Amino acid sequence: MSFAIKCLFPGAESNKDFEVWDNGPEPVLRPGAEDKGRIRYEIKSPENGEELEEGVHYRYGIDYNLLVEGEDYDLVERGPFIAVWKLDAPQPTEAELQTAWEAYQEAEANKPPVLTEMEQLQQENLLLKAQNSALTERADFIEDIIAEMATQVYS
């Protein structure tokens, strides 16, 4: 998804302008299971005379150890998503991201293959040999011209 966003916004930097997250499989409660797995977590003890207040002294959460997967909850994979968006442009839609992803894949498929270091050195060696051969031929040609000029001057 990051590559698709970078196709749409070439100047965008991942983790600075946007963040793509993938939390993996996440539990989704089935109806009625919330009460079964509900647990109270203490935050801080109330001072003398202070009444307990939710969010200050305690909070409620779900303890999935008290629940049964497939009975009380299901694990659902929602895939990658844009969690943080700091660009001035509007956040792209799923359709725009899909189109950009396909364009990115096509561009990658049409890229010339990257040569290994050995292949690069072999190509460079061939080029240098060709240049050396051309310089040798030119030097031989110039030598022949000088010899011909010397023959005409001294004859």
Side-chain angles (χ1 to χ4, degrees), residues 103-114:
Y104 169 77
Q105 286 181 316
E106 184 177 329
E108 284 295 307
N110 294 332
K111 267 187 178 177
V114 178

Side-chain angles (χ1 to χ4, degrees), residues 33-94:
E34 186 173 322
D35 292 335
K36 185 176 175 185
R38 189 173 183 188
I39 188 167
R40 182 171 145 168
Y41 295 98
E42 300 297 325
I43 299 173
K44 74 173 194 175
S45 300
E47 295 179 10
N48 289 338
E50 188 178 20
E51 287 189 31
L52 287 175
E53 185 178 341
E54 186 175 354
V56 175
H57 300 102
Y58 65 93
R59 68 174 182 84
Y60 287 103
I62 303 295
D63 183 353
Y64 288 92
N65 293 319
L66 301 174
L67 303 176
V68 177
E69 181 182 348
E71 187 178 306
D72 299 315
Y73 69 95
D74 297 305
L75 290 177
V76 177
E77 177 76 51
R78 87 180 211 190
F81 60 97
I82 299 172
V84 177
W85 187 258
K86 296 180 182 176
L87 294 171
D88 292 334
Q91 187 170 324
T93 63
E94 286 295 322

Side-chain angles (χ1 to χ4, degrees), residues 4-151:
I5 293 171
K6 288 181 181 182
C7 270
L8 291 172
F9 306 98
E13 293 181 40
S14 182
N15 295 333
K16 178 182 174 200
D17 297 323
F18 66 93
E19 290 182 25
V20 174
W21 293 357
D22 187 347
N23 296 338
E26 295 181 294
V28 175
L29 289 174
R30 291 184 176 183
E34 186 173 322
D35 292 335
K36 185 176 175 185
R38 189 173 183 188
I39 188 167
R40 182 171 145 168
Y41 295 98
E42 300 297 325
I43 299 173
K44 74 173 194 175
S45 300
E47 295 179 10
N48 289 338
E50 188 178 20
E51 287 189 31
L52 287 175
E53 185 178 341
E54 186 175 354
V56 175
H57 300 102
Y58 65 93
R59 68 174 182 84
Y60 287 103
I62 303 295
D63 183 353
Y64 288 92
N65 293 319
L66 301 174
L67 303 176
V68 177
E69 181 182 348
E71 187 178 306
D72 299 315
Y73 69 95
D74 297 305
L75 290 177
V76 177
E77 177 76 51
R78 87 180 211 190
F81 60 97
I82 299 172
V84 177
W85 187 258
K86 296 180 182 176
L87 294 171
D88 292 334
Q91 187 170 324
T93 63
E94 286 295 322
E96 291 170 330
L97 287 171
Q98 184 62 37
T99 303
W101 174 245
E102 290 166 4
Y104 169 77
Q105 286 181 316
E106 184 177 329
E108 284 295 307
N110 294 332
K111 267 187 178 177
V114 178
L115 301 176
T116 64
E117 185 179 1
M118 180 63 95
E119 291 170 331
Q120 289 175 347
L121 291 172
Q122 287 173 340
Q123 277 193 345
E124 187 179 337
N125 193 23
L126 283 173
L127 177 64
L128 291 172
K129 283 181 179 179
Q131 289 174 342
N132 189 24
S133 177
L135 287 172
T136 302
E137 287 179 23
R138 181 180 169 104
D140 290 344
F141 176 71
I142 292 173
E143 189 177 305
D144 290 345
I145 290 176
I146 292 172
E148 188 177 323
M149 289 174 62
T151 312

